[in-house]
Amino acid sequence: MLPTTEAPFPQFFDFSGDPLDEGSIYYGQPNANPVTAPMPVYWDAAGTQPAAQPIKTVAGYPVRFGTPANVFTDQVYSISVYDKKGRLVYTQPDSSQFNQQPLYANKTDAALGSALLGYKAPFANSVGRTVSEKLADYVSAADFGLAEANAGSQNNTAMANAIAYAIAQGGLTLHIPRGTYDFATSINITGADNLRITGDGIDATILRITTATGDFVVTGGDFYQTIDNLTLTSTVTRTAGAMFKANGFWSRGLFYRVKVEKHFDGINLFQFEHCTLMETNIVSPTGAGTALIVGNPAATNQGANLNLLTVFIRGNDETVAEGPAVGARGMLVYDIEAIYGINVDISAMLNEIMVVQPTFQTANCFFTSCYFDITVGGDNILFQGAGIKNRIQFSNCWIAGAGRFDAGAADMFGVRFADVGTYTSLAFDACEFIGTSGPGVGTFTPQSEVLFTGCTFNNCGLNTTLDTAVYASFAVAQTKYMQFTGCKFIPSTVTKDFLFTANARGNVITGCELLRGISYQGGAQFGAVSGNSDVTGDSVASAATLQVPVTASYLYVTGTTNVGGLFRTFKGHVIHFTAVTGFTWQNGGALALKGAANFTVAAGNVLTLVCRSDGTWQEVSRSA
């Protein structure tokens, strides 16, 4: 809207001091003769109704169709006024001397425009300021030229100028208004400590990168940066790079109510210290990358203290419940210390939901009420990497659907411990392993120091050649041990709850509800098995070497084959054997009978044996 030349109306007078009738008004270029150098003026503030010059006067007022009217222009002007005889009665070469309105409308000089207007907040003890000072409290990226209509390179320039200003100020809040803004290359916020980039909400403020590769928003070595209430996305299929990457230690950083989509990699915290992702969604990837990368492979700690609070990650379109998986992995954890995850929901990946893969060490990570669900051809949680996996705990987590998405794949584990690196103090408390194509837990490392307490194994092994809910296989003898306490096994297609191969050592199973029993190969040893509810049966067929249930205390022996020994179970294991038919217990080797003599039994005879620490069985008593 154009400002008026004077408000409410200018009034002019003749040489006698009377209001000027039948006068003529000319508006022209400043410091020029307005008669010979006129400028456009208008009857309306919108500038759509040109006013022909000269403009006539009645009673001293400019008139239009005989009615007083004002004249509009947004320029500084000159003015000359003549009486009806053509005599000059008034002139002014520069309207800025008496009319401030063009100065208020100035958009190029910071000392004009809003700097000329006063402001006082309407509350007690407020201090008066200019409107310009008040507006400076709030910095918008649009102040630097960011616009929806811009080409991507123009918006990159606008953001670069905004970030440079933020750095010069030592930090500020930079608002990006509602709209969709394209960018041709990375937005680099490195060096801008105490910077907050805020939008008007997820899917209200949308930033889009228009290239298939390269990182989108980049930072590193900065403190107290916040990104909130906006969406980071792309206009093309992404094939490399992250939508946000922290190179160098990103300290005290915060993502809050941010949506990351159409990515290859989503968020890459290459190096960080005490940062938070809160109410952040990483969804709808366009490339087979990783949604969240934490740390990087290195010989030292690359990050510490990451809080994941109500983070939602999907490897497919978040709006389509059964859309095809595109993302390769949900979360990849390298050499870091201390992740605290609460209500983290990761689902629908081509490969693993989460991979822990240190070169040096991953330590002190805790996940509570988290959801690791459904893959095509990967485990829910995979531990691998040559480094140390130390004190990593899961509480009340849902670990489900490995190898069960789309066509799926057999033998995908709820949790897999690969035979590489070292393991110390891993724990699963009140977690549910459910609906996996392979076992709920598979361990291949002799350093299996893992505690399972109050966990449920529900329909694990639905499409598998490993016919068990828990599978433990070791190339060499175990040096650290697993413990299962108070766990429950719910029916599935598998025929056993546990399967331990020959090198299993020292594992403890107590107070569990077993429906398929514990199977083990010769050479396996247990630390303790007690207090379990086992309904797998109370009889065993006689054989040269008996493989007895490790939960058994009383067994009936069927068949007539002579028995020369038993596979070891655990030290102190006592079993009472009642013969169903006649056969001979043969002294020697792994079986030590009283008097070092064989014991030929008839139906109903009872022999009580105890497993000794060396794995041999010794007679306690007999009833002939």
Side-chain angles (χ1 to χ4, degrees):
M1 178 179 291
L2 303 180
T4 59
T5 55
E6 192 171 328
F9 303 109
Q11 188 176 24
F12 301 98
F13 300 87
D14 61 19
F15 289 111
S16 300
D18 298 321
L20 184 65
D21 279 315
E22 299 182 54
S24 300
I25 305 172
Y26 296 86
Y27 294 92
Q29 301 297 326
N31 298 305
N33 185 343
V35 177
T36 58
M39 66 177 296
V41 291
Y42 302 89
W43 291 119
D44 64 320
T48 62
Q49 301 174 28
Q53 299 189 59
I55 295 169
K56 305 305 289 183
T57 66
V58 173
Y61 295 108
V63 293
R64 183 188 187 195
F65 305 130
T67 301
N70 215 326
V71 181
F72 294 82
T73 180
D74 63 351
Q75 305 294 319
V76 175
Y77 55 89
S78 61
I79 182 173
S80 292
V81 181
Y82 296 86
D83 64 13
K84 62 183 178 181
K85 295 181 178 180
R87 294 175 296 179
L88 179 66
V89 295
Y90 174 77
T91 187
Q92 175 58 253
D94 185 347
S95 65
S96 64
Q97 301 297 315
F98 61 89
N99 189 335
Q100 295 295 308
Q101 289 175 344
L103 305 183
Y104 300 147
N106 188 284
K107 296 187 290 186
T108 60
D109 189 339
L112 302 178
S114 62
L116 301 175
L117 301 175
Y119 170 80
K120 190 174 189 300
F123 43 78
N125 301 316
S126 64
V127 176
R129 298 189 288 169
T130 66
V131 171
S132 176
E133 291 170 333
K134 176 64 175 177
L135 293 175
D137 294 342
Y138 175 92
V139 180
S140 171
D143 296 333
F144 299 89
L146 188 76
E148 290 187 88
N150 281 353
S153 58
Q154 293 174 298
N155 281 333
N156 276 111
T157 298
M159 284 297 292
N161 290 336
I163 299 306
Y165 177 73
I167 293 172
Q169 298 301 307
L172 51 76
T173 294
L174 179 65
H175 177 251
I176 301 179
R178 175 184 294 269
T180 300
Y181 306 92
D182 288 342
F183 294 84
T185 58
S186 299
I187 300 171
N188 194 335
I189 61 175
T190 300
D193 293 338
N194 304 299
L195 169 69
R196 177 189 177 196
I197 297 177
T198 184
D200 285 324
I202 289 176
D203 290 342
T205 297
I206 302 172
L207 312 186
R208 306 191 306 186
I209 189 168
T210 60
T211 58
T213 61
D215 303 316
F216 189 6
V217 180
V218 179
T219 188
D222 301 300
F223 290 86
Y224 297 109
Q225 290 181 336
T226 296
I227 298 176
D228 66 273
N229 289 291
L230 52 78
T231 294
L232 299 177
T233 185
S234 67
T235 61
V236 296
T237 298
R238 296 278 290 169
T239 57
M243 303 302 278
F244 176 86
K245 186 171 184 179
N247 287 312
F249 279 91
W250 192 50
S251 298
R252 283 71 169 173
L254 171 64
F255 260 75
Y256 174 64
R257 293 191 58 78
V258 174
K259 179 178 176 182
V260 175
E261 65 172 6
K262 301 187 186 309
H263 53 281
F264 182 77
D265 293 334
I267 296 175
N268 185 344
L269 302 181
F270 194 76
Q271 293 178 315
F272 66 92
E273 193 268 330
H274 194 59
C275 297
T276 299
L277 272 60
M278 184 175 182
E279 295 184 33
T280 292
N281 294 356
I282 309 175
V283 297
S284 305
T286 58
T290 300
L292 175 60
I293 301 173
V294 183
N296 67 95
T300 59
N301 190 345
Q302 298 298 291
N305 296 317
L306 175 63
N307 299 290
L308 304 177
L309 308 175
T310 314
V311 173
F312 183 84
I313 297 175
R314 286 290 181 272
N316 60 355
D317 185 348
E318 68 162 331
T319 62
V320 180
E322 296 298 331
V326 176
R329 293 185 177 93
M331 184 174 176
L332 181 54
V333 181
Y334 287 115
D335 293 283
I336 59 91
E337 183 168 345
I339 298 176
Y340 305 96
I342 300 175
N343 192 28
V344 178
D345 184 338
I346 312 177
S347 181
M349 295 293 163
L350 287 172
N351 300 323
E352 295 80 17
I353 297 296
M354 183 169 75
V355 179
V356 178
Q357 185 176 312
T359 298
F360 166 62
Q361 177 175 263
T362 301
N364 299 313
C365 298
F366 304 89
F367 297 90
T368 302
S369 300
C370 295
Y371 188 84
F372 304 91
D373 183 50
I374 201 161
T375 68
V376 176
D379 308 309
N380 292 113
I381 302 172
L382 170 61
F383 290 89
Q384 61 183 14
I388 300 168
K389 281 76 72 176
N390 178 42
R391 201 159 183 257
I392 303 173
Q393 299 183 6
F394 299 80
S395 300
N396 298 296
C397 293
W398 171 278
I399 302 169
R404 300 282 294 168
F405 193 52
D406 294 339
D411 295 330
M412 297 297 106
F413 294 81
V415 176
R416 183 195 297 256
F417 304 100
D419 185 15
V420 60
T422 60
Y423 295 79
T424 304
S425 299
L426 276 65
F428 293 80
D429 178 28
C431 294
E432 180 150 7
F433 299 83
I434 182 169
T436 51
S437 72
V441 171
T443 178
F444 299 87
T445 173
Q447 304 202 30
S448 299
E449 188 174 307
V450 189
L451 176 64
F452 296 87
T453 304
C455 295
T456 300
F457 293 83
N458 186 349
N459 283 307
C460 297
L462 294 177
N463 177 23
T464 182
T465 57
L466 299 174
D467 190 23
T468 180
V470 176
Y471 182 65
S473 177
F474 313 100
V476 297
Q478 272 184 272
T479 57
K480 296 182 180 179
Y481 317 110
M482 293 187 294
Q483 182 172 329
F484 293 82
T485 302
C487 295
K488 182 177 182 179
F489 292 79
I490 296 175
S492 67
T493 59
V494 300
T495 60
K496 56 190 74 73
D497 296 323
F498 292 90
L499 173 58
F500 294 93
T501 58
N503 286 313
R505 298 286 187 274
N507 300 296
V508 175
I509 304 170
T510 58
C512 294
E513 184 177 332
L514 307 175
L515 294 178
R516 298 289 188 268
I518 302 169
S519 182
Y520 61 98
Q521 296 177 356
Q525 304 172 25
F526 294 87
V529 179
S530 63
N532 299 291
S533 171
D534 186 356
V535 296
T536 57
D538 56 2
S539 66
V540 62
S542 62
T545 302
L546 286 181
Q547 184 175 25
V548 296
V550 294
T551 56
S553 297
Y554 300 89
L555 285 173
Y556 290 97
V557 182
T558 63
T560 58
T561 302
N562 295 333
V563 179
L566 290 76
F567 288 162
R568 70 186 300 167
T569 56
F570 58 92
K571 182 176 67 173
H573 187 191
V574 176
I575 305 180
H576 306 278
F577 294 94
T578 301
V580 176
T581 57
F583 63 90
T584 297
W585 292 93
Q586 296 177 323
N587 180 72
L591 184 58
L593 300 178
K594 286 184 178 180
N598 294 343
F599 177 32
T600 300
V601 297
N605 291 162
V606 177
L607 177 66
T608 301
L609 300 175
V610 61
C611 185
R612 300 190 299 192
S613 60
D614 63 0
T616 63
W617 292 79
Q618 181 177 352
E619 180 178 346
V620 176
S621 64
R622 68 176 67 182
S623 173

